[in-house]
Amino acid sequence: MSEKPNLLVSSSAVIGRFGNLLPSAKVYLLDELDEDELDRLLPSIDCILVQTWWPDSLTPERISRMTRLRFIQSGMAGVNHIPFKHLGKRVMVSSNAGGFSAGVAEFAFALMLAAAKRVVKLDYALRTEEFDPADWGHLSREVVVLKGRTLGVLGYGGIGTAVGSLGRALGMNVIAFSRHPGKVAGVQIFHGGDGLLRVLRRADAVVIALPLSKLTVGLIGSAELAAMKADAVLVNVARAEIVDEEALYRHLVKFPQFTYATDVWQIKRGKETYASKFPFLKLNNFIGTPHVAGGSSVLTGEPGKAAVENLMLFLRGEVPRNVVDPSEYI
Amino acid sequence: MSEKPNLLVSSSAVIGRFGNLLPSAKVYLLDELDEDELDRLLPSIDCILVQTWWPDSLTPERISRMTRLRFIQSGMAGVNHIPFKHLGKRVMVSSNAGGFSAGVAEFAFALMLAAAKRVVKLDYALRTEEFDPADWGHLSREVVVLKGRTLGVLGYGGIGTAVGSLGRALGMNVIAFSRHPGKVAGVQIFHGGDGLLRVLRRADAVVIALPLSKLTVGLIGSAELAAMKADAVLVNVARAEIVDEEALYRHLVKFPQFTYATDVWQIKRGKETYASKFPFLKLNNFIGTPHVAGGSSVLTGEPGKAAVENLMLFLRGEVPRNVVDPSEYI
């Protein structure tokens, strides 16, 4: 290339940390541009690095003026925030699921173990003085040893693979649901709607590690929950909308030994929202944390590094990894 | 042996499950003996299997009449409940730490991850509506990714070894404190008082997996806590009395980013007691569960099987494993 590509970055933090990107691109920081400067720049932008959610200032109208845009790198694992319907067919979008694998898989394990061992429920009972020593016997029998049990992983990408490895280290049998038929040593992978149900029926603990797309929204509904064991653990570190909220609430009320543990929440009016018309937080078979798994990973630097390395592939004229299919999102 | 040894068992459950023991011994179930029958039997008892705590009916006076007693197998991992000072010098006592390794190590990991990921604290904040979305930033930065961090294991017996293996699977650097100089691949083992402090100084998370004995009671006091990182996690799945209660409370109040997570509680008036004059359960950097790790393991059958297998060694005239040194307990 005779000239460096123009890169628009939605936040300066990653550039401060991974300056090795700079020799390959002319970098513009969105936060440092005023409205006029941004408008002048639009027709010359080749690629965008969006570190978190899609910026409000990049309106559909402005996107339509980015005629040279060819590539968008998401800093987050998910890409459901990218405005696919306003992008032309020549714009590739890459997710950053791999960059979050270790941190989010660890978090999924923390939720799975907290649920299986009843850590939150027992701590809460002691803390609120609701614990009756006469209940010790049946409460201790609720606590599950996961070694030798079956872990079902839904989605076997970067995060799912890391979850599967941890499961095997714990001595669990690992089965997975994936669209991609690839072989993984020691992991039985199922496909299609029947494959999903087969995983759900057999697993003692299930971790959702799927992207949110047209194919996965509401994937876990009442029939899927009904297929699961009555005392199973369901962990969500992906996106809340993959699970049907009403079906889940009814299932938790009906099966008090079934536990749902989530780090992710429904997006309502454009914002992830902890409140719901279904009072999940009143149930002692629900565990919730305010979407902190990804944030904790960012501090390790791995997600920023992974996003920049993938962007470098594009800047060098190579094919970037984790390119998503826009038709699954529009 | 011309005659089968006489075995006194404190509970029938293990015999129902591991009847393969029966051909090698004449088994008497304590629960099925009346006072007179027990008194008549005492001089002929060769060995005892104590499944949980030492039975009240086996008083010091009755122990003195068990003149043939040579071996006591503990069903629990700890042996601090065995009345060593009333046993003659010819009575060997074996612990059952190995039988609980997988289940208790898993539980230690559940507590360590719940603490490192702030699962209990964050769930509680959402549940009590004390969570302010404005706090999200600093709360998510408290959440620690353990991969690449250092795990310190205090005591490298059955449970400690299993904890170390899980730590390595998580990508942690594992260091340990042990009296036994044995070599373990990939684990640096320290000895002595200085060794303890070196482990405590370097570790981001510490798991206590030591027996409670004269050597370990109060081992973790104010100096040891002060040596630890201000935001470290300390997990106790062994015995509460290994940690000085008052020093711990003061440390937790002084260092709000330090977390103590425990499944074990002080024995008060002969009973494990959740209440304390130090209000641990009011602190959000304390996590407590009511001693359920061992109970959950019992259901897998592994501890019962391990105890019986070790007892079989004695019955066959071989040297049993995990024989403890009485001088550390008297």
Side-chain angles (χ1 to χ4, degrees):
Chain A
M1 275 184 228
S2 57
E3 211 178 316
K4 285 183 185 180
N6 288 327
L7 167 66
L8 183 64
V9 177
S10 70
S11 146
S12 58
V14 78
I15 298 304
R17 223 165 148 177
F18 304 101
N20 56 345
L21 176 75
L22 293 167
S24 312
K26 176 93 183 76
V27 178
Y28 297 92
L29 297 174
L30 187 60
D31 294 347
E32 296 181 356
L33 299 172
D34 65 27
E35 300 272 310
D36 286 348
E37 286 168 334
L38 175 58
D39 282 332
R40 272 198 303 275
L41 198 63
L42 293 172
S44 66
I45 292 297
D46 296 284
C47 50
I48 304 177
L49 170 57
V50 192
Q51 285 197 257
T52 56
W53 303 97
W54 187 262
D56 290 341
S57 60
L58 297 183
T59 59
E61 192 278 322
R62 280 194 166 122
I63 292 170
S64 71
R65 282 190 275 150
M66 298 166 95
T67 47
R68 254 173 67 177
L69 183 64
R70 292 293 173 274
F71 182 59
I72 296 170
Q73 173 65 52
S74 171
M76 300 204 295
V79 295
N80 55 297
H81 61 293
I82 306 282
F84 285 98
K85 67 177 172 182
H86 302 294
L87 301 176
K89 283 188 177 170
R90 283 182 296 185
V91 182
M92 280 189 301
V93 176
S94 277
S95 84
N96 192 24
F100 289 87
S101 301
V104 176
E106 259 189 30
F107 202 91
F109 250 64
L111 290 179
M112 182 180 81
L113 282 164
K117 306 299 188 187
R118 307 294 196 256
V119 172
V120 175
K121 177 181 171 177
L122 290 169
D123 175 273
Y124 191 83
L126 288 170
R127 201 169 281 275
T128 55
E129 297 179 358
E130 284 163 18
F131 179 75
D132 179 351
D135 294 337
W136 184 86
H138 79 252
L139 282 172
S140 73
R141 279 188 294 276
E142 281 184 22
V143 173
V144 174
V145 174
L146 292 171
K147 184 182 176 183
R149 301 273 185 138
T150 297
L151 169 63
V153 185
L154 309 187
Y156 222 70
I159 292 167
T161 303
V163 167
S165 300
L166 290 177
R168 284 168 59 81
L170 214 58
M172 298 184 78
N173 310 310
V174 180
I175 58 177
F177 167 69
S178 172
R179 290 187 293 171
H180 306 291
K183 281 198 178 179
V184 181
V187 179
Q188 200 179 349
I189 297 189
F190 296 86
H191 306 276
D194 180 52
L196 175 61
L197 288 174
R198 287 169 73 186
V199 169
L200 294 175
R201 271 187 213 113
R202 281 173 54 182
D204 298 289
V206 170
V207 174
I208 304 174
L210 289 159
L212 177 63
S213 74
K214 282 199 303 185
L215 304 176
T216 63
V217 63
L219 184 72
I220 308 296
S222 50
E224 289 72 23
L225 291 165
M228 294 181 73
K229 296 183 182 182
D231 61 351
V233 164
L234 178 60
V235 173
N236 197 348
V237 288
R239 287 292 180 265
E241 292 79 2
I242 295 169
V243 182
D244 181 275
E245 199 180 21
E246 182 169 354
L248 174 65
Y249 185 76
R250 291 185 192 284
H251 193 78
L252 289 172
V253 170
K254 190 171 170 191
F255 297 98
Q257 294 310 314
F258 184 99
T259 309
Y260 181 71
T262 189
D263 189 43
V264 290
W265 304 76
Q266 299 272 337
I267 308 280
K268 287 167 185 169
R269 291 177 220 88
K271 253 187 78 175
E272 210 172 8
T273 306
Y274 313 118
S276 164
K277 63 178 168 172
F278 306 103
F280 287 104
L281 287 163
K282 299 245 182 280
L283 301 175
N284 74 2
N285 56 342
F286 175 90
I287 299 173
T289 51
H291 209 158
V292 291
S296 69
S297 305
V298 168
L299 293 182
T300 66
E302 281 193 36
K305 192 159 167 278
V308 166
E309 281 172 356
N310 203 40
L311 187 53
M312 290 284 274
L313 292 176
F314 171 79
L315 294 173
R316 287 199 302 257
E318 298 170 36
V319 180
R321 288 171 299 130
N322 305 314
V323 174
V324 301
D325 177 353
S327 73
E328 292 174 8
Y329 292 89
I330 289 171
Chain B
M1 277 184 225
S2 57
E3 212 179 313
K4 284 183 184 178
N6 289 326
L7 166 66
L8 184 63
V9 177
S10 70
S11 145
S12 59
V14 78
I15 298 304
R17 222 164 150 181
F18 303 101
N20 56 344
L21 176 75
L22 294 168
S24 312
K26 176 94 183 77
V27 178
Y28 297 92
L29 298 174
L30 187 60
D31 295 346
E32 297 181 355
L33 299 172
D34 64 28
E35 299 272 310
D36 287 348
E37 287 168 335
L38 176 58
D39 282 331
R40 273 197 302 276
L41 197 65
L42 294 173
S44 67
I45 293 296
D46 297 284
C47 50
I48 304 177
L49 171 57
V50 192
Q51 285 199 258
T52 56
W53 303 96
W54 187 262
D56 289 340
S57 59
L58 297 183
T59 59
E61 192 277 323
R62 279 193 168 125
I63 293 171
S64 70
R65 284 189 274 149
M66 297 166 94
T67 48
R68 255 172 69 176
L69 183 64
R70 292 295 173 273
F71 182 59
I72 296 170
Q73 172 65 52
S74 172
M76 299 203 295
V79 294
N80 55 299
H81 60 294
I82 306 282
F84 285 97
K85 66 178 172 181
H86 302 294
L87 301 176
K89 283 188 176 171
R90 284 182 296 186
V91 181
M92 280 189 301
V93 176
S94 276
S95 85
N96 193 25
F100 289 87
S101 301
V104 176
E106 259 189 29
F107 202 91
F109 250 64
L111 290 180
M112 182 180 83
L113 282 163
K117 306 301 188 186
R118 307 294 195 257
V119 172
V120 174
K121 177 181 173 176
L122 291 169
D123 175 274
Y124 191 83
L126 287 170
R127 204 170 278 276
T128 56
E129 296 179 359
E130 284 162 18
F131 179 75
D132 178 352
D135 294 337
W136 184 85
H138 81 253
L139 281 172
S140 73
R141 278 188 294 275
E142 283 184 22
V143 173
V144 173
V145 173
L146 293 170
K147 184 181 177 183
R149 301 274 185 137
T150 298
L151 169 63
V153 185
L154 310 187
Y156 222 71
I159 293 167
T161 302
V163 167
S165 300
L166 289 177
R168 284 169 57 80
L170 214 59
M172 299 184 78
N173 310 310
V174 180
I175 57 178
F177 168 70
S178 172
R179 291 186 293 169
H180 306 291
K183 280 200 176 177
V184 181
V187 178
Q188 200 179 349
I189 297 188
F190 295 87
H191 307 275
D194 180 52
L196 175 61
L197 288 174
R198 287 170 72 185
V199 169
L200 295 175
R201 270 186 214 114
R202 282 171 54 179
D204 298 289
V206 170
V207 174
I208 304 174
L210 289 160
L212 177 62
S213 75
K214 283 200 303 185
L215 304 176
T216 63
V217 63
L219 184 72
I220 308 296
S222 51
E224 289 71 23
L225 291 165
M228 294 182 71
K229 297 185 181 180
D231 62 350
V233 165
L234 179 60
V235 173
N236 197 348
V237 288
R239 287 292 180 266
E241 292 79 2
I242 295 169
V243 182
D244 181 273
E245 200 180 19
E246 182 169 354
L248 174 64
Y249 185 76
R250 291 185 193 286
H251 193 79
L252 288 172
V253 170
K254 190 171 171 191
F255 297 98
Q257 293 310 314
F258 184 98
T259 308
Y260 182 71
T262 189
D263 188 42
V264 291
W265 304 76
Q266 299 271 338
I267 308 280
K268 287 168 184 170
R269 291 176 217 89
K271 251 187 77 174
E272 210 171 9
T273 306
Y274 313 118
S276 164
K277 63 177 168 173
F278 305 104
F280 286 104
L281 286 163
K282 299 246 183 278
L283 301 175
N284 74 3
N285 55 343
F286 175 90
I287 299 174
T289 51
H291 209 158
V292 291
S296 69
S297 305
V298 168
L299 293 181
T300 66
E302 280 191 38
K305 192 159 167 279
V308 166
E309 283 172 355
N310 203 41
L311 187 54
M312 291 282 276
L313 292 177
F314 171 79
L315 294 174
R316 288 198 302 255
E318 296 171 36
V319 179
R321 288 171 299 130
N322 305 314
V323 175
V324 301
D325 178 354
S327 74
E328 293 175 8
Y329 294 90
I330 290 171

